[in-house]
Amino acid sequence: AGRPALLTRVARRAFGGRALAESLAEGEEHVTRLRAALARLKVRVPQVFPAESSEHVLSMQFAEGRSLKEVLDVVNESDKDKAEKAAAWFAAVLLLVIVPLWGKMLLVMGCCHADPHPGNFKIDGIPGIEEVMPQAEAPAPRRGFVGRLVHGRGAAAAQAPVHTALAPLTLWVLDWGSCVDVEDDMRRTLCRLLVGLSQLRAALRNRAADDAYEGEDADVGGGDFGDDRGGSSEATEAVRAAIRETADCMRCLGVVAGD
C-alpha cells in the first residue's frame, strides 16, 4: 500500500496520536472528523472598543480558546502521544486555514496582517484538544450544609456523561496593529511567482521521469533514444522557461538583482 495522503496522516495524529496514526483502518474516520471540524470553522477578528482605546492602547473584545503558542508548548512536552496530537492539530490549522487565509489577504484583498506569530492566534472548539492541554486547577467552591447535602446526593448524577452538540470551531486573529497594503502590481507579480514555481516543480518532475525512461531504454537497447522522441529536450526547455519566469518575478519583487 502507498503512503497515506497528508490530510489522512494529519487527521490520524490529531485525533488518535501515534497508535491510530499507524493504523490504516482508522484513517478515513479521522479525516471525516477533521473535515467536519474545519467545515464549522469561523475566522473572527475581535471587536474594537474605541471609547476604551487611546493613541497607545487598543482595547478589543476578549477572544476565547487556546493560543497556538500554548499548543506549540505542548509539542515540547515529554508525553510523546500528547505532543504528536497537538503538533498534528497545529499543522492542520496552519496548512488548511492560516496559509490560505494569508494567501487571500496578500493576493486578493491587498491588505495583510503583518505579524502572524503563534501568540496572535487563538483557537476555540477543537475536538479533543483539551485532553492534551495542561489544565489549571480551579478552587473547589465552598458550600454550606444544605449545599453539601444537595450536591452530595446528586454526585452520581453529575458524573453521568453529557452529550452536547458539536461546538463551532473558531480561529481568532489578534493584534491588527501591524498591517501592510499590497499594491495591485505587487499582487499580480506574487501570483505570477506562485504559478511559475508550480510550473517549475511540474517541469522538474517531468524531466526526471523522462531521464528515468531514457535510462531504461539505454539499458534494454544499448542506445540513446532521447533525441528521437524529443522528450528530454522539451522537458529541459520547460524547466528553463519556468526558471526564467520565476527569476523575472523575483527581480520585480527586488529579491534578486541582475541575472
Side-chain angles (χ1 to χ4, degrees), residues 11-51:
R12 288 177 189 165
R13 291 198 182 276
F15 286 102
R18 173 177 291 275
L20 292 184
E22 294 173 350
S23 171
L24 294 177
E26 302 290 340
E28 289 305 319
E29 176 187 348
H30 296 312
V31 170
T32 301
R33 292 179 66 190
L34 179 59
R35 289 187 185 278
L38 294 178
R40 306 192 313 273
L41 182 133
K42 294 182 179 180
V43 178
R44 298 189 62 182
V45 176
Q47 179 184 356
V48 175
F49 301 119

mmCIF file of all heavy atoms in Angstrom, residues 11-51:
data_model
loop_
_atom_site.group_PDB
_atom_site.id
_atom_site.type_symbol
_atom_site.label_atom_id
_atom_site.label_comp_id
_atom_site.label_asym_id
_atom_site.label_seq_id
_atom_site.Cartn_x
_atom_site.Cartn_y
_atom_site.Cartn_z
ATOM 1 N N ALA A 11 -4.833 13.918 10.229
ATOM 2 C CA ALA A 11 -6.056 13.627 10.982
ATOM 3 C C ALA A 11 -5.846 12.484 11.957
ATOM 4 O O ALA A 11 -6.347 12.512 13.084
ATOM 5 C CB ALA A 11 -7.196 13.296 10.015
ATOM 6 N N ARG A 12 -5.111 11.456 11.561
ATOM 7 C CA ARG A 12 -4.872 10.337 12.472
ATOM 8 C C ARG A 12 -4.156 10.804 13.727
ATOM 9 O O ARG A 12 -4.504 10.441 14.847
ATOM 10 C CB ARG A 12 -4.032 9.268 11.771
ATOM 11 C CG ARG A 12 -4.790 8.502 10.700
ATOM 12 C CD ARG A 12 -3.844 7.544 10.027
ATOM 13 N NE ARG A 12 -4.460 6.926 8.858
ATOM 14 C CZ ARG A 12 -3.783 6.279 7.926
ATOM 15 N NH1 ARG A 12 -2.474 6.199 8.012
ATOM 16 N NH2 ARG A 12 -4.399 5.738 6.911
ATOM 17 N N ARG A 13 -3.109 11.612 13.553
ATOM 18 C CA ARG A 13 -2.354 12.054 14.723
ATOM 19 C C ARG A 13 -3.147 13.067 15.545
ATOM 20 O O ARG A 13 -3.048 13.101 16.765
ATOM 21 C CB ARG A 13 -1.013 12.654 14.288
ATOM 22 C CG ARG A 13 -0.072 11.602 13.728
ATOM 23 C CD ARG A 13 1.355 12.105 13.710
ATOM 24 N NE ARG A 13 2.252 11.134 13.134
ATOM 25 C CZ ARG A 13 2.796 10.117 13.803
ATOM 26 N NH1 ARG A 13 2.494 9.947 15.068
ATOM 27 N NH2 ARG A 13 3.620 9.286 13.216
ATOM 28 N N ALA A 14 -3.966 13.894 14.876
ATOM 29 C CA ALA A 14 -4.748 14.899 15.598
ATOM 30 C C ALA A 14 -5.755 14.248 16.535
ATOM 31 O O ALA A 14 -5.977 14.715 17.651
ATOM 32 C CB ALA A 14 -5.467 15.822 14.610
ATOM 33 N N PHE A 15 -6.364 13.150 16.092
ATOM 34 C CA PHE A 15 -7.423 12.538 16.898
ATOM 35 C C PHE A 15 -6.941 11.345 17.708
ATOM 36 O O PHE A 15 -7.455 11.074 18.781
ATOM 37 C CB PHE A 15 -8.580 12.087 15.996
ATOM 38 C CG PHE A 15 -9.417 13.212 15.495
ATOM 39 C CD1 PHE A 15 -9.269 13.684 14.201
ATOM 40 C CD2 PHE A 15 -10.338 13.831 16.318
ATOM 41 C CE1 PHE A 15 -10.031 14.741 13.743
ATOM 42 C CE2 PHE A 15 -11.105 14.889 15.866
ATOM 43 C CZ PHE A 15 -10.956 15.340 14.577
ATOM 44 N N GLY A 16 -5.954 10.611 17.211
ATOM 45 C CA GLY A 16 -5.596 9.375 17.886
ATOM 46 C C GLY A 16 -4.175 9.256 18.362
ATOM 47 O O GLY A 16 -3.849 8.326 19.089
ATOM 48 N N GLY A 17 -3.289 10.168 17.963
ATOM 49 C CA GLY A 17 -1.892 10.043 18.354
ATOM 50 C C GLY A 17 -1.185 8.950 17.576
ATOM 51 O O GLY A 17 -1.628 8.514 16.507
ATOM 52 N N ARG A 18 -0.067 8.457 18.103
ATOM 53 C CA ARG A 18 0.784 7.512 17.385
ATOM 54 C C ARG A 18 0.056 6.205 17.073
ATOM 55 O O ARG A 18 0.169 5.670 15.971
ATOM 56 C CB ARG A 18 2.042 7.224 18.199
ATOM 57 C CG ARG A 18 2.913 6.113 17.605
ATOM 58 C CD ARG A 18 4.168 5.937 18.411
ATOM 59 N NE ARG A 18 5.047 7.073 18.255
ATOM 60 C CZ ARG A 18 5.919 7.207 17.260
ATOM 61 N NH1 ARG A 18 5.996 6.292 16.317
ATOM 62 N NH2 ARG A 18 6.696 8.266 17.191
ATOM 63 N N ALA A 19 -0.683 5.658 18.055
ATOM 64 C CA ALA A 19 -1.292 4.346 17.854
ATOM 65 C C ALA A 19 -2.212 4.345 16.641
ATOM 66 O O ALA A 19 -2.126 3.476 15.770
ATOM 67 C CB ALA A 19 -2.056 3.929 19.109
ATOM 68 N N LEU A 20 -3.101 5.342 16.571
ATOM 69 C CA LEU A 20 -4.029 5.383 15.445
ATOM 70 C C LEU A 20 -3.367 5.901 14.188
ATOM 71 O O LEU A 20 -3.811 5.612 13.085
ATOM 72 C CB LEU A 20 -5.246 6.252 15.799
ATOM 73 C CG LEU A 20 -6.165 5.663 16.872
ATOM 74 C CD1 LEU A 20 -7.376 6.562 17.070
ATOM 75 C CD2 LEU A 20 -6.612 4.267 16.496
ATOM 76 N N ALA A 21 -2.306 6.686 14.343
ATOM 77 C CA ALA A 21 -1.601 7.170 13.165
ATOM 78 C C ALA A 21 -0.977 6.020 12.403
ATOM 79 O O ALA A 21 -0.783 6.093 11.201
ATOM 80 C CB ALA A 21 -0.522 8.172 13.571
ATOM 81 N N GLU A 22 -0.661 4.926 13.104
ATOM 82 C CA GLU A 22 -0.043 3.777 12.465
ATOM 83 C C GLU A 22 -1.087 2.748 12.026
ATOM 84 O O GLU A 22 -0.742 1.707 11.490
ATOM 85 C CB GLU A 22 0.952 3.134 13.434
ATOM 86 C CG GLU A 22 2.141 4.039 13.749
ATOM 87 C CD GLU A 22 3.036 3.464 14.831
ATOM 88 O OE1 GLU A 22 2.631 2.464 15.452
ATOM 89 O OE2 GLU A 22 4.126 4.018 15.043
ATOM 90 N N SER A 23 -2.355 3.016 12.250
ATOM 91 C CA SER A 23 -3.419 2.092 11.885
ATOM 92 C C SER A 23 -4.139 2.602 10.638
ATOM 93 O O SER A 23 -4.750 3.656 10.642
ATOM 94 C CB SER A 23 -4.410 1.952 13.038
ATOM 95 O OG SER A 23 -5.545 1.222 12.626
ATOM 96 N N LEU A 24 -4.066 1.830 9.553
ATOM 97 C CA LEU A 24 -4.703 2.249 8.309
ATOM 98 C C LEU A 24 -6.217 2.228 8.418
ATOM 99 O O LEU A 24 -6.905 3.003 7.762
ATOM 100 C CB LEU A 24 -4.254 1.327 7.168
ATOM 101 C CG LEU A 24 -2.771 1.387 6.785
ATOM 102 C CD1 LEU A 24 -2.478 0.367 5.696
ATOM 103 C CD2 LEU A 24 -2.402 2.780 6.300
ATOM 104 N N ALA A 25 -6.770 1.351 9.270
ATOM 105 C CA ALA A 25 -8.216 1.178 9.328
ATOM 106 C C ALA A 25 -8.926 2.412 9.846
ATOM 107 O O ALA A 25 -10.078 2.670 9.493
ATOM 108 C CB ALA A 25 -8.557 -0.022 10.210
ATOM 109 N N GLU A 26 -8.271 3.210 10.699
ATOM 110 C CA GLU A 26 -8.933 4.344 11.322
ATOM 111 C C GLU A 26 -8.733 5.648 10.563
ATOM 112 O O GLU A 26 -9.309 6.660 10.921
ATOM 113 C CB GLU A 26 -8.408 4.537 12.762
ATOM 114 C CG GLU A 26 -8.597 3.335 13.656
ATOM 115 C CD GLU A 26 -10.054 3.111 13.992
ATOM 116 O OE1 GLU A 26 -10.847 4.054 13.869
ATOM 117 O OE2 GLU A 26 -10.392 1.975 14.377
ATOM 118 N N GLY A 27 -7.919 5.628 9.522
ATOM 119 C CA GLY A 27 -7.532 6.872 8.860
ATOM 120 C C GLY A 27 -8.692 7.667 8.313
ATOM 121 O O GLY A 27 -8.825 8.866 8.579
ATOM 122 N N GLU A 28 -9.584 7.016 7.547
ATOM 123 C CA GLU A 28 -10.660 7.747 6.898
ATOM 124 C C GLU A 28 -11.643 8.324 7.916
ATOM 125 O O GLU A 28 -12.211 9.387 7.693
ATOM 126 C CB GLU A 28 -11.385 6.836 5.907
ATOM 127 C CG GLU A 28 -10.557 6.506 4.676
ATOM 128 C CD GLU A 28 -10.074 7.762 3.970
ATOM 129 O OE1 GLU A 28 -10.858 8.728 3.846
ATOM 130 O OE2 GLU A 28 -8.906 7.789 3.555
ATOM 131 N N GLU A 29 -11.857 7.605 9.039
ATOM 132 C CA GLU A 29 -12.754 8.137 10.062
ATOM 133 C C GLU A 29 -12.226 9.446 10.619
ATOM 134 O O GLU A 29 -12.983 10.405 10.819
ATOM 135 C CB GLU A 29 -12.900 7.117 11.196
ATOM 136 C CG GLU A 29 -13.753 7.624 12.351
ATOM 137 C CD GLU A 29 -13.753 6.678 13.527
ATOM 138 O OE1 GLU A 29 -13.288 5.528 13.364
ATOM 139 O OE2 GLU A 29 -14.213 7.099 14.601
ATOM 140 N N HIS A 30 -10.915 9.514 10.844
ATOM 141 C CA HIS A 30 -10.336 10.735 11.398
ATOM 142 C C HIS A 30 -10.322 11.855 10.361
ATOM 143 O O HIS A 30 -10.483 13.026 10.705
ATOM 144 C CB HIS A 30 -8.930 10.457 11.906
ATOM 145 C CG HIS A 30 -8.906 9.479 13.040
ATOM 146 N ND1 HIS A 30 -9.747 9.578 14.123
ATOM 147 C CD2 HIS A 30 -8.154 8.372 13.251
ATOM 148 C CE1 HIS A 30 -9.520 8.576 14.951
ATOM 149 N NE2 HIS A 30 -8.568 7.828 14.446
ATOM 150 N N VAL A 31 -10.136 11.508 9.087
ATOM 151 C CA VAL A 31 -10.226 12.522 8.031
ATOM 152 C C VAL A 31 -11.629 13.130 8.011
ATOM 153 O O VAL A 31 -11.799 14.345 7.893
ATOM 154 C CB VAL A 31 -9.884 11.914 6.660
ATOM 155 C CG1 VAL A 31 -10.205 12.904 5.545
ATOM 156 C CG2 VAL A 31 -8.412 11.543 6.597
ATOM 157 N N THR A 32 -12.642 12.271 8.139
ATOM 158 C CA THR A 32 -14.025 12.753 8.149
ATOM 159 C C THR A 32 -14.260 13.706 9.317
ATOM 160 O O THR A 32 -14.884 14.764 9.169
ATOM 161 C CB THR A 32 -14.997 11.566 8.230
ATOM 162 O OG1 THR A 32 -14.769 10.704 7.109
ATOM 163 C CG2 THR A 32 -16.437 12.050 8.230
ATOM 164 N N ARG A 33 -13.745 13.348 10.503
ATOM 165 C CA ARG A 33 -13.921 14.213 11.680
ATOM 166 C C ARG A 33 -13.170 15.530 11.510
ATOM 167 O O ARG A 33 -13.666 16.595 11.900
ATOM 168 C CB ARG A 33 -13.429 13.483 12.925
ATOM 169 C CG ARG A 33 -14.276 12.287 13.315
ATOM 170 C CD ARG A 33 -13.706 11.593 14.549
ATOM 171 N NE ARG A 33 -13.785 12.446 15.722
ATOM 172 C CZ ARG A 33 -13.184 12.164 16.870
ATOM 173 N NH1 ARG A 33 -12.469 11.057 16.988
ATOM 174 N NH2 ARG A 33 -13.287 12.983 17.900
ATOM 175 N N LEU A 34 -11.973 15.458 10.925
ATOM 176 C CA LEU A 34 -11.198 16.682 10.713
ATOM 177 C C LEU A 34 -11.907 17.600 9.722
ATOM 178 O O LEU A 34 -12.003 18.809 9.939
ATOM 179 C CB LEU A 34 -9.798 16.334 10.213
ATOM 180 C CG LEU A 34 -8.869 17.524 9.916
ATOM 181 C CD1 LEU A 34 -8.671 18.367 11.172
ATOM 182 C CD2 LEU A 34 -7.526 17.033 9.391
ATOM 183 N N ARG A 35 -12.404 17.029 8.638
ATOM 184 C CA ARG A 35 -13.130 17.846 7.654
ATOM 185 C C ARG A 35 -14.378 18.461 8.278
ATOM 186 O O ARG A 35 -14.711 19.616 8.022
ATOM 187 C CB ARG A 35 -13.514 16.992 6.441
ATOM 188 C CG ARG A 35 -12.357 16.595 5.548
ATOM 189 C CD ARG A 35 -12.868 15.899 4.295
ATOM 190 N NE ARG A 35 -11.798 15.409 3.477
ATOM 191 C CZ ARG A 35 -11.110 16.138 2.609
ATOM 192 N NH1 ARG A 35 -11.394 17.431 2.473
ATOM 193 N NH2 ARG A 35 -10.151 15.607 1.878
ATOM 194 N N ALA A 36 -15.089 17.683 9.107
ATOM 195 C CA ALA A 36 -16.294 18.206 9.750
ATOM 196 C C ALA A 36 -15.950 19.351 10.694
ATOM 197 O O ALA A 36 -16.666 20.354 10.761
ATOM 198 C CB ALA A 36 -17.002 17.086 10.512
ATOM 199 N N ALA A 37 -14.826 19.209 11.413
ATOM 200 C CA ALA A 37 -14.411 20.276 12.329
ATOM 201 C C ALA A 37 -14.064 21.542 11.561
ATOM 202 O O ALA A 37 -14.477 22.647 11.921
ATOM 203 C CB ALA A 37 -13.228 19.812 13.174
ATOM 204 N N LEU A 38 -13.295 21.398 10.475
ATOM 205 C CA LEU A 38 -12.875 22.568 9.707
ATOM 206 C C LEU A 38 -14.049 23.196 8.957
ATOM 207 O O LEU A 38 -14.041 24.397 8.685
ATOM 208 C CB LEU A 38 -11.764 22.186 8.737
ATOM 209 C CG LEU A 38 -10.437 21.770 9.400
ATOM 210 C CD1 LEU A 38 -9.417 21.371 8.342
ATOM 211 C CD2 LEU A 38 -9.883 22.895 10.262
ATOM 212 N N ALA A 39 -15.057 22.369 8.615
ATOM 213 C CA ALA A 39 -16.233 22.917 7.918
ATOM 214 C C ALA A 39 -17.016 23.862 8.825
ATOM 215 O O ALA A 39 -17.717 24.748 8.347
ATOM 216 C CB ALA A 39 -17.127 21.780 7.432
ATOM 217 N N ARG A 40 -16.907 23.676 10.143
ATOM 218 C CA ARG A 40 -17.616 24.546 11.092
ATOM 219 C C ARG A 40 -16.784 25.764 11.469
ATOM 220 O O ARG A 40 -17.223 26.592 12.264
ATOM 221 C CB ARG A 40 -17.950 23.769 12.381
ATOM 222 C CG ARG A 40 -18.713 22.485 12.191
ATOM 223 C CD ARG A 40 -19.242 21.968 13.531
ATOM 224 N NE ARG A 40 -18.241 21.994 14.577
ATOM 225 C CZ ARG A 40 -17.364 21.024 14.818
ATOM 226 N NH1 ARG A 40 -17.340 19.969 14.016
ATOM 227 N NH2 ARG A 40 -16.495 21.109 15.810
ATOM 228 N N LEU A 41 -15.583 25.866 10.925
ATOM 229 C CA LEU A 41 -14.655 26.904 11.373
ATOM 230 C C LEU A 41 -15.100 28.298 10.935
ATOM 231 O O LEU A 41 -15.534 28.498 9.807
ATOM 232 C CB LEU A 41 -13.250 26.621 10.840
ATOM 233 C CG LEU A 41 -12.184 27.620 11.292
ATOM 234 C CD1 LEU A 41 -10.938 26.900 11.772
ATOM 235 C CD2 LEU A 41 -11.813 28.572 10.162
ATOM 236 N N LYS A 42 -14.944 29.231 11.852
ATOM 237 C CA LYS A 42 -15.177 30.646 11.560
ATOM 238 C C LYS A 42 -13.926 31.421 11.960
ATOM 239 O O LYS A 42 -13.391 31.228 13.045
ATOM 240 C CB LYS A 42 -16.389 31.179 12.330
ATOM 241 C CG LYS A 42 -17.713 30.560 11.914
ATOM 242 C CD LYS A 42 -18.863 31.174 12.701
ATOM 243 C CE LYS A 42 -20.197 30.579 12.265
ATOM 244 N NZ LYS A 42 -21.333 31.158 13.023
ATOM 245 N N VAL A 43 -13.458 32.277 11.079
ATOM 246 C CA VAL A 43 -12.333 33.161 11.386
ATOM 247 C C VAL A 43 -12.908 34.479 11.887
ATOM 248 O O VAL A 43 -13.744 35.094 11.220
ATOM 249 C CB VAL A 43 -11.451 33.377 10.152
ATOM 250 C CG1 VAL A 43 -10.311 34.343 10.477
ATOM 251 C CG2 VAL A 43 -10.891 32.048 9.651
ATOM 252 N N ARG A 44 -12.461 34.889 13.071
ATOM 253 C CA ARG A 44 -13.022 36.088 13.685
ATOM 254 C C ARG A 44 -11.925 37.072 14.053
ATOM 255 O O ARG A 44 -10.805 36.686 14.396
ATOM 256 C CB ARG A 44 -13.832 35.726 14.934
ATOM 257 C CG ARG A 44 -15.037 34.827 14.676
ATOM 258 C CD ARG A 44 -15.903 34.706 15.902
ATOM 259 N NE ARG A 44 -16.461 36.001 16.316
ATOM 260 C CZ ARG A 44 -17.229 36.157 17.384
ATOM 261 N NH1 ARG A 44 -17.527 35.110 18.142
ATOM 262 N NH2 ARG A 44 -17.690 37.353 17.699
ATOM 263 N N VAL A 45 -12.272 38.340 13.962
ATOM 264 C CA VAL A 45 -11.398 39.436 14.391
ATOM 265 C C VAL A 45 -12.088 40.115 15.568
ATOM 266 O O VAL A 45 -13.274 40.472 15.473
ATOM 267 C CB VAL A 45 -11.168 40.447 13.257
ATOM 268 C CG1 VAL A 45 -10.345 41.623 13.749
ATOM 269 C CG2 VAL A 45 -10.487 39.763 12.074
ATOM 270 N N PRO A 46 -11.404 40.277 16.701
ATOM 271 C CA PRO A 46 -12.059 40.881 17.874
ATOM 272 C C PRO A 46 -12.585 42.281 17.571
ATOM 273 O O PRO A 46 -11.978 43.057 16.823
ATOM 274 C CB PRO A 46 -10.935 40.925 18.924
ATOM 275 C CG PRO A 46 -9.962 39.885 18.492
ATOM 276 C CD PRO A 46 -10.018 39.870 16.991
ATOM 277 N N GLN A 47 -13.709 42.586 18.173
ATOM 278 C CA GLN A 47 -14.305 43.919 18.041
ATOM 279 C C GLN A 47 -13.457 44.942 18.798
ATOM 280 O O GLN A 47 -12.959 44.686 19.885
ATOM 281 C CB GLN A 47 -15.723 43.907 18.594
ATOM 282 C CG GLN A 47 -16.434 45.247 18.543
ATOM 283 C CD GLN A 47 -17.797 45.179 19.197
ATOM 284 O OE1 GLN A 47 -18.240 44.109 19.622
ATOM 285 N NE2 GLN A 47 -18.452 46.329 19.305
ATOM 286 N N VAL A 48 -13.293 46.111 18.202
ATOM 287 C CA VAL A 48 -12.532 47.189 18.837
ATOM 288 C C VAL A 48 -13.487 48.072 19.635
ATOM 289 O O VAL A 48 -14.596 48.379 19.185
ATOM 290 C CB VAL A 48 -11.787 48.030 17.774
ATOM 291 C CG1 VAL A 48 -11.086 49.223 18.421
ATOM 292 C CG2 VAL A 48 -10.776 47.162 17.039
ATOM 293 N N PHE A 49 -13.046 48.488 20.832
ATOM 294 C CA PHE A 49 -13.833 49.385 21.679
ATOM 295 C C PHE A 49 -13.163 50.756 21.680
ATOM 296 O O PHE A 49 -12.238 51.010 22.471
ATOM 297 C CB PHE A 49 -13.937 48.838 23.093
ATOM 298 C CG PHE A 49 -14.578 47.478 23.168
ATOM 299 C CD1 PHE A 49 -13.875 46.396 23.668
ATOM 300 C CD2 PHE A 49 -15.876 47.285 22.727
ATOM 301 C CE1 PHE A 49 -14.457 45.147 23.736
ATOM 302 C CE2 PHE A 49 -16.471 46.038 22.787
ATOM 303 C CZ PHE A 49 -15.765 44.961 23.294
ATOM 304 N N PRO A 50 -13.577 51.653 20.786
ATOM 305 C CA PRO A 50 -12.909 52.962 20.661
ATOM 306 C C PRO A 50 -12.933 53.785 21.936
ATOM 307 O O PRO A 50 -11.967 54.492 22.246
ATOM 308 C CB PRO A 50 -13.696 53.652 19.537
ATOM 309 C CG PRO A 50 -14.371 52.541 18.793
ATOM 310 C CD PRO A 50 -14.671 51.491 19.808
ATOM 311 N N ALA A 51 -14.023 53.702 22.689
ATOM 312 C CA ALA A 51 -14.139 54.528 23.897
ATOM 313 C C ALA A 51 -13.093 54.157 24.940
ATOM 314 O O ALA A 51 -12.660 55.008 25.723
ATOM 315 C CB ALA A 51 -15.547 54.393 24.485
#
